[in-house]
Amino acid sequence: MLNIQRFEVNPIQENCYVVSDETKEAAVIDCGAFFDEERKAVVNYIKENGLKLRHLLCTHAHFDHILGLDTLFEEFGVKPRLHPADRQIYDGMRQQVMAFFGTRYDKKMPPLGDDLSDGELIPLGNSELKVLHTPGHSPGSVMFYCESEKILFAGDTLFRMSVGRTDLQGGSWQQLMHSLHHVVALLPKDVKVFTGHGPSTTIGDETSMNPYFY
């Protein structure tokens, strides 16, 4: 059974998740921890629970989802993984921060690990996470789906009764709508959705009440 610890981090209140199971293998999804106390909280949770960090996963490369990757790479030596369509956004981290906050960002981003690919199965203890490529919010946006536990980590593609914005670099409203209707809507209604910002939801609630699915 998966254990999911959520950390709400950085000024944009992004959801960072540490996912583990009884084997103590763990993955961190979207480490946007910015302030020192946020970074320490994630690291301490992993160490204090005796977890073995196997994967550092990114649903996409917008700055608020990757701010803490350098700390986890330095602490555990695990390279972050993302979809190759978001590599250019990842490489432009400094420009992203300057555009949003008008301030310099001097931390060095860690080297990337292997590209994520659509349909890839990522082993995690006694479970596995399936990569679902859902472009729209960004070209390389992905979701991580655990079919056995009916859990979905949606990044910024889907929120509770809302969806991600498409006015940032590489965003596409047409692609987002295609991802929602041809990928997300096909998942079982009882799948629990852990979003990139805000509260969790379910596929059933979203497909029945979220206006973007009509």
Side-chain angles (χ1 to χ4, degrees):
M1 180 177 181
L2 291 183
N3 301 309
I4 301 169
Q5 179 66 40
R6 181 178 73 95
F7 296 85
E8 188 178 277
V9 296
N10 73 47
I12 307 187
Q13 298 177 303
E14 183 262 343
N15 291 328
C16 165
Y17 299 101
V18 181
V19 186
S20 60
D21 73 356
E22 59 274 9
T23 69
K24 297 293 186 178
E25 288 199 357
V28 174
I29 298 175
D30 287 354
C31 189
F34 175 65
F35 299 109
D36 286 343
E37 59 268 26
E38 295 173 345
R39 294 167 182 260
K40 290 177 182 177
V42 176
V43 170
N44 289 343
Y45 176 83
I46 294 171
K47 290 182 175 180
E48 290 171 1
N49 286 278
L51 302 181
K52 298 169 286 190
L53 184 61
R54 297 296 190 223
H55 307 287
L56 195 49
L57 305 175
C58 307
T59 61
H60 63 295
H62 287 153
F63 74 96
D64 55 319
H65 289 251
I66 63 173
L67 283 164
L69 293 180
D70 59 303
T71 293
L72 293 185
F73 175 69
E74 291 167 5
E75 288 282 347
F76 303 103
V78 178
K79 294 180 180 179
R81 300 184 64 198
L82 51 74
H83 191 280
D86 265 20
R87 276 183 173 268
Q88 184 176 359
I89 298 175
Y90 184 87
D91 292 338
M93 174 66 163
R94 288 184 173 86
Q95 292 89 333
Q96 291 189 64
V97 174
M98 178 61 73
F100 272 82
F101 295 119
T103 186
R104 289 176 57 87
Y105 185 78
D106 294 324
K107 290 184 180 293
K108 185 178 180 181
M109 298 303 295
L112 291 170
D114 294 339
D115 291 338
L116 295 174
S117 58
D118 186 41
E120 176 184 352
L121 296 176
I122 301 171
L124 182 62
N126 294 322
S127 301
E128 57 188 11
L129 301 175
K130 185 176 183 179
V131 179
L132 304 177
H133 185 208
T134 52
H137 179 63
S138 72
S141 284
V142 299
M143 294 178 165
F144 300 106
Y145 176 45
C146 182
E147 183 176 7
S148 63
E149 306 231 1
K150 294 189 175 180
I151 288 172
L152 179 72
F153 297 94
D156 285 4
T157 296
L158 177 65
F159 301 130
R160 179 164 175 78
M161 300 303 137
S162 188
V163 296
R165 58 192 293 185
T166 58
D167 60 334
L168 301 175
Q169 179 184 352
S172 167
W173 183 254
Q174 289 75 21
Q175 285 188 332
L176 180 63
M177 289 299 102
H178 185 275
S179 294
L180 292 175
H181 290 277
H182 296 275
V183 180
V184 179
L186 302 183
L187 297 173
K189 304 303 182 186
D190 56 347
V191 168
K192 186 172 183 179
V193 182
F194 292 89
T195 62
H197 301 267
S200 59
T201 183
T202 66
I203 293 296
D205 282 353
E206 297 310 308
T207 54
S208 64
M209 294 185 286
N210 186 326
Y212 295 100
F213 281 92
Y214 296 166

